[in-house]
Structure formats: structure tokens, C-alpha cells
Amino acid sequence: MGRAFEYRKAAKLKRWGHMARTFTKIGKQIAIAVKAGGPEPENNPALRAIIANAKRENMPKDNIERAIKNAMGKDQSEYKEVTYEGYGPHGVAVFVETLTDNTTRTVGDVRSVFNKFNGNLGTQGSLSFLFDHKAVFTFKKKEGLDMDEMILDLIDYGVEDEFDLDDEAGEITIYGAPTSFGEIQKHLESEGFEVTGAEFTRIPNDLKSVTPEQRETIDKMVERLEEFDDVQTVYTNMKPEDGE
């Protein structure tokens, strides 16, 4: 078993990113996808993936359709993807992904949290080496599916040979190269798999051990960052608690 798989297993498949699941944040993702590839999901793979995630988060159909319509408006703000990286208290690495139409506001908000928790905000890209960037797909398992054969087939599309299987939900989660996102999605759809989630994630490659008290402080910092609408996902390299 590889390192990333062991980390996921230790956390019982808990996501390393703490994503604030709000419809406002998903709406921003929809806006970017529509601006880039148009409002028709059948002709826009990125939009299809986001809609799948929105449904997974129980976002009402009306909200999804409204977000697509708003993204087509002439006065729709242009959102940018910006990351912020640094160290929080106790030497824990913190990686923040944002979608913003005002970088001055966003960097001010993020910096204020780092300062409040005695952290240090670094330059963009300074901590990217601590996290492996992955494309993640979750889809329904077909009855009688040969897992080994499926993985061998997907390896040609940049997918790793390790996967997560949720028997209760009847779903498979695979991990691959971010640059292969479109190819993986297209292949899964062409093979008739029902994709229920498609996104990018960052998996830490160097876990930091912390005490219960230190963990509480880091969790508070993450929660504070997630309160900002511009913040999409917050990752840390904090080692998961035993039993998680």
C-alpha cells in the first residue's frame, strides 16, 4: 500500500481538506465553469463535475439552475483561483484555496487569521511541496465489476492503482494526476459509470504530530478561515487523531 493510501486509511477516508460546504461557494465554482465552457452541462465537462458535487451536497436543483443563469449575466464578477500558504501555530502547514473577485480583500482576511493564531503567511507556492495535488473521482460501482481490470484500464488515464471502496454507499473513489482530470472524467462517462463526485484535493506527504491542545487551536484556525465566503478549501498536514 502506498503512502497516500495509508494516510487516508488512518483517517478513515476523512478528507484532508476542510471544505465549508455552502451553496455560495459552489455557486462561485459554477460561475467559473460557465465562463470557461458555457452553460450547457452536456458540452461542459467541468460544469458536469461541479453539478455532481452540488447534488452530493444536497444543493437544490433550482439553486443550481439559478447559479448557472447568474453566471451568464453581463455583470457577473470574474472570480480568480488564488492559493495562500503558510505555517499555523505549532509548525503545522496550512494551505488555503480561494475563489475571489477581490484579492486585496481576500489576502487581508486570510492574513488576519494567520496573525491572530501567531502563524506566518508565506509566498504562493512555498508549501506546495508538502502536499500532493490529486484529481479525485467518486462513482457508483457496477454490479459484477472486476476491480483489478477496471484499475488496469484507468492507469492508462493517469489513475493510481489504489482506490477507496465504500461498500455501504456502493461507491468507488479513485485518485489520479490533476492534468488528467478531463480524460479520466470522459473515460468514466464513456464506460457508463455514474459519477457522483469529481474534484481536486491535496494530500499531505509529511504529517505533523500535535497534542490534543494544539489540535484544538489548529481546528479553530481552520474554522475561522472557512467562515470567509472566498475560502473554498483549507488543508493542513496535521496528523489525524488515533481512532479517526
Side-chain angles (χ1 to χ4, degrees), residues 9-216:
K9 182 179 178 182
K12 288 192 175 179
L13 309 187
K14 176 181 178 181
R15 293 171 186 241
W16 293 102
H18 304 255
M19 185 168 183
R21 300 295 184 176
T22 66
F23 297 160
T24 298
K25 295 175 188 293
I26 295 176
K28 288 185 177 182
Q29 296 173 8
I30 289 175
I32 285 184
V34 170
K35 287 288 184 180
E40 301 297 334
E42 58 269 25
N43 300 321
N44 188 336
L47 181 59
R48 287 202 302 276
I50 295 169
I51 290 175
N53 293 336
K55 292 178 178 178
R56 194 180 185 89
E57 297 302 325
N58 297 315
M59 187 173 184
K61 182 179 178 181
D62 288 346
N63 291 49
I64 296 173
E65 293 177 348
R66 189 179 308 116
I68 293 174
K69 184 177 180 180
N70 290 341
M72 297 167 60
K74 294 181 180 180
D75 298 327
Q76 178 67 30
S77 297
E78 293 287 349
Y79 292 111
K80 298 179 180 179
E81 297 178 346
V82 184
T83 63
Y84 299 95
E85 304 151 49
Y87 286 97
H90 316 300
V92 172
V94 181
F95 198 108
V96 186
E97 293 180 337
T98 71
L99 288 179
T100 179
D101 59 352
N102 186 328
T103 55
T104 300
R105 176 192 65 223
T106 306
V107 70
D109 289 341
V110 172
R111 180 177 286 116
S112 70
V113 176
F114 272 82
N115 291 340
K116 179 178 180 180
F117 287 88
N118 298 315
N120 296 294
L121 188 61
T123 57
Q124 190 174 36
S126 60
L127 297 185
S128 58
F129 70 96
L130 287 176
F131 297 86
D132 293 330
H133 197 196
K134 303 288 184 183
V136 186
F137 287 86
T138 299
F139 52 93
K140 292 292 185 180
K141 181 182 179 183
K142 294 180 181 179
E143 188 173 349
L145 177 68
D146 186 319
M147 296 295 294
D148 291 335
E149 184 177 333
M150 180 199 73
I151 291 298
L152 284 174
D153 186 32
L154 287 170
I155 285 177
D156 293 336
Y157 296 87
V159 174
E160 298 175 357
D161 61 358
E162 297 166 347
F163 58 89
D164 297 326
L165 176 61
D166 186 337
D167 287 318
E168 184 176 346
E171 292 183 332
I172 302 168
T173 299
I174 58 174
Y175 302 81
T179 52
S180 299
F181 187 95
E183 291 183 14
I184 297 170
Q185 180 183 5
K186 183 178 180 180
H187 180 69
L188 289 173
E189 292 175 344
S190 67
E191 291 296 315
F193 287 103
E194 180 186 350
V195 178
T196 58
E199 59 188 341
F200 296 99
T201 193
R202 297 180 190 271
I203 300 174
N205 55 45
D206 182 22
L207 291 179
K208 178 77 174 179
S209 296
V210 296
T211 67
E213 292 75 18
Q214 292 171 340
R215 181 181 305 280
E216 184 177 355

